[in-house]
Amino acid sequence: MNIHEYQAKELLDKFGVANSPGGVASTPEEAEKIAASLGTDQLVIKAQVHAGGRGKGTFKNGFKSGVHLCKTPAQIREVAANMLGQTLVTHQTGEDGRVVRKVLVAESVEIERELYFAVLIDRATSAPVIVASTEGGVDIEGVAEHTPEKIFHLHVDPLLGFQPYQARKLSKLLGIPTAQMKSACVLFANLYKTFIESDCSMVEVNPLVITKGGDVRALDAKFNFDDNALFRHPDIQAYRDIEEEDPREVEASKHNLSYIGLDGNIACLVNGAGLAMATMDIIKHHGGEPSNFLDVGGGATEQQVTEAFKILVADKRVKAILVNIFGGIMKCDVIAQGIINAVKAVNLPVPLVVRLEGTNVEAGRKLLAESGLKLTTATDIADAAQKVVAATA
Ligand code: ADP
Ligand code: MG
């Protein structure tokens, strides 16, 4: 799960990570009020969407940038009016962009240096790793590609935790002046603590700045949480903003379906995560692009299959559907009945290819044959993939 910057700021405050005072607003008037309450002429207003690259983004109404420095509350109000309700496109949003529903108004600082700091789980070592760079602020992906030597990795032993000597080493690598070393070390340690105690899968601060006044602060923070640990954090769960999520995934989660939306045009309904992955692979192997991952699991009910099928059919990018079931615990007749129910409710606007095998396969095939449903049957997984790719041509 992802959260907004203003929510991340609340977590940073809770863990004592220095950032910038400010508040969130949904209207230009609110934004102006917050700006006035900050009592400074150094202000910043930032569009709140679950995507980075806002500074270099552009709104569909032509307004430039999702991050503006301002001098007065009146200016903040004016910029807020240009951002709220508008769609911001950044290199992370895709061309559809994201609608801005809230803005963060905060104190701005004069920046001396912009650094990059992140904590995430390194899959190779199954342990936390700190990734940091002297080249913060702009796009870190570009730094990784062109000057990878400017990115440092520091592994943390999960049992020992982040050690003070590691904090000092990191400060040195980042060239932090002696005067700021102490506050930088405190900030690193507190960010690590935030990461562990909130069950994050990633904490990314970009930029982490040294101000002209000599402070060290986290100016922008992105958090990603391990969904499987969210039950331990009702306060973080409350940060969920379903407006920012893929509507297909929101619908699937209501029915407890393991569904991940993708960009292709071939919908897949499969039982078992392994078979679902193999199905996606073989679709790609035959030149197609899957529009989703969907594992209906072993114990899916007819109702769940119906709902799953409805999600596939409702997806405008879908040009063909592949049902690939190898019935073990899952029974083929349950799948067949689920599909028939769904088609009755929503019709079938695209070609359907079905490959059924395993438990109750004869009953399943009989149901489909007698339903009068227009579909193509396939004998095995390769045959199914070829037929569904051909159906989209
Ligand atoms: P994004 O990463 O989505 O572009 P950021 O919050 O990192 O958004 O903002 C982009 C840039 O705007 C930062 O690199 C920084 O230079 C500037 N900026 C952001 N917040 C502040 C602030 N509070 N004070 C001064 N400059 C800021
Ligand atoms: Mg940033």
Side-chain angles (χ1 to χ4, degrees):
M1 190 186 89
N2 293 311
I3 60 175
H4 287 290
E5 181 191 10
Y6 74 91
Q7 298 165 327
K9 203 172 124 40
E10 285 177 23
L11 278 176
L12 295 181
D13 287 339
K14 187 172 148 196
F15 286 91
V17 178
N19 56 85
S20 295
V24 67
S26 318
T27 64
E29 293 72 31
E30 262 173 39
E32 183 178 21
K33 246 192 209 152
I34 293 166
S37 74
L38 290 171
T40 166
D41 63 355
Q42 295 207 23
L43 297 161
V44 64
I45 172 165
K46 304 165 87 170
Q48 299 296 288
V49 288
H50 284 191
R54 295 165 301 168
K56 291 193 165 169
T58 305
F59 287 84
K60 285 200 171 163
N61 64 1
F63 192 68
K64 289 260 178 314
S65 183
V67 179
H68 282 250
L69 296 176
C70 297
K71 288 283 171 209
T72 65
Q75 275 175 5
I76 290 280
R77 179 195 172 112
E78 199 183 318
V79 176
N82 278 301
M83 288 183 175
L84 287 163
Q86 301 299 325
T87 305
L88 176 63
V89 181
T90 82
H91 67 88
Q92 285 188 9
T93 61
E95 57 190 47
D96 286 350
R98 295 281 172 82
V99 177
V100 176
R101 295 182 172 84
K102 289 191 164 76
V103 289
L104 172 68
V105 179
E107 210 177 281
S108 72
V109 292
E110 286 192 83
I111 299 171
E112 180 75 36
R113 284 186 62 203
E114 294 192 298
L115 308 170
Y116 177 93
F117 177 98
V119 194
L120 46 133
I121 299 291
D122 180 358
R123 291 181 184 220
T125 58
S126 310
V129 59
I130 289 174
V131 179
S133 175
T134 48
E135 309 301 302
V138 278
D139 91 305
I140 195 69
E141 293 87 350
V143 179
E145 197 180 328
H146 304 297
T147 47
E149 69 282 1
K150 290 187 173 162
I151 297 183
F152 312 115
H153 296 87
L154 209 74
H155 286 92
V156 181
D157 183 313
L159 298 179
L160 296 176
F162 184 57
Q163 298 290 306
Y165 82 87
Q166 292 183 303
R168 291 193 293 274
K169 185 173 167 191
L170 194 61
S171 298
K172 280 236 166 72
L173 285 171
L174 294 175
I176 291 176
T178 321
Q180 276 90 36
M181 189 123 162
K182 203 169 162 194
S183 47
C185 288
V186 169
L187 195 140
F188 298 151
N190 285 342
L191 278 171
Y192 183 79
K193 193 166 183 238
T194 316
F195 173 85
I196 294 293
E197 294 191 8
S198 309
D199 287 315
C200 296
S201 48
M202 185 194 74
V203 168
E204 182 188 55
V205 177
N206 189 24
L208 181 109
V209 301
I210 302 177
T211 69
K212 287 213 157 70
D215 295 341
V216 186
R217 292 202 209 183
L219 285 201
D220 177 25
K222 290 205 167 44
F223 283 70
N224 195 267
F225 299 93
D226 179 350
D227 290 353
N228 293 318
L230 272 177
F231 72 96
R232 301 206 284 206
H233 306 281
D235 52 332
I236 293 170
Q237 258 179 49
Y239 285 152
R240 185 169 174 206
D241 180 356
I242 57 170
E243 305 262 26
E244 289 284 333
E245 295 176 18
D246 186 327
R248 300 173 295 174
E249 291 179 11
V250 173
E251 186 58 28
S253 75
K254 285 186 199 155
H255 307 289
N256 282 322
L257 293 162
S258 297
Y259 175 101
I260 311 274
L262 302 167
D263 296 329
N265 59 10
I266 297 176
C268 317
L269 187 150
V270 189
N271 68 314
L275 187 59
M277 304 275 262
T279 304
M280 287 160 48
D281 280 350
I282 200 158
I283 287 174
K284 285 190 85 101
H285 179 73
H286 287 289
E289 288 291 335
S291 65
N292 69 286
F293 164 96
L294 169 59
D295 164 20
V296 292
T301 61
E302 204 178 286
Q303 181 64 24
Q304 273 179 305
V305 175
T306 305
E307 295 303 335
F309 205 79
K310 282 189 192 163
I311 293 168
L312 304 185
V313 173
D315 187 346
K316 292 274 176 285
R317 68 202 93 194
V318 169
K319 296 277 176 285
I321 299 174
L322 171 57
V323 174
N324 185 18
I325 299 296
F326 195 91
I329 301 169
M330 188 77 233
K331 295 188 182 70
C332 291
D333 55 329
V334 171
I335 294 283
Q337 194 57 53
I339 295 170
I340 294 165
N341 294 349
V343 173
K344 268 192 196 138
V346 295
N347 287 323
L348 185 61
V350 294
L352 169 66
V353 177
V354 179
R355 182 255 178 163
L356 287 181
E357 211 47 79
T359 309
N360 292 1
V361 65
E362 289 313 327
R365 287 191 184 140
K366 190 156 171 269
L367 277 169
L368 288 175
E370 287 171 359
S371 71
L373 239 177
K374 221 175 136 248
L375 56 86
T376 307
T377 52
T379 48
D380 59 32
I381 180 168
D383 183 39
Q386 277 163 14
K387 282 178 172 159
V388 78
V389 172
T392 61

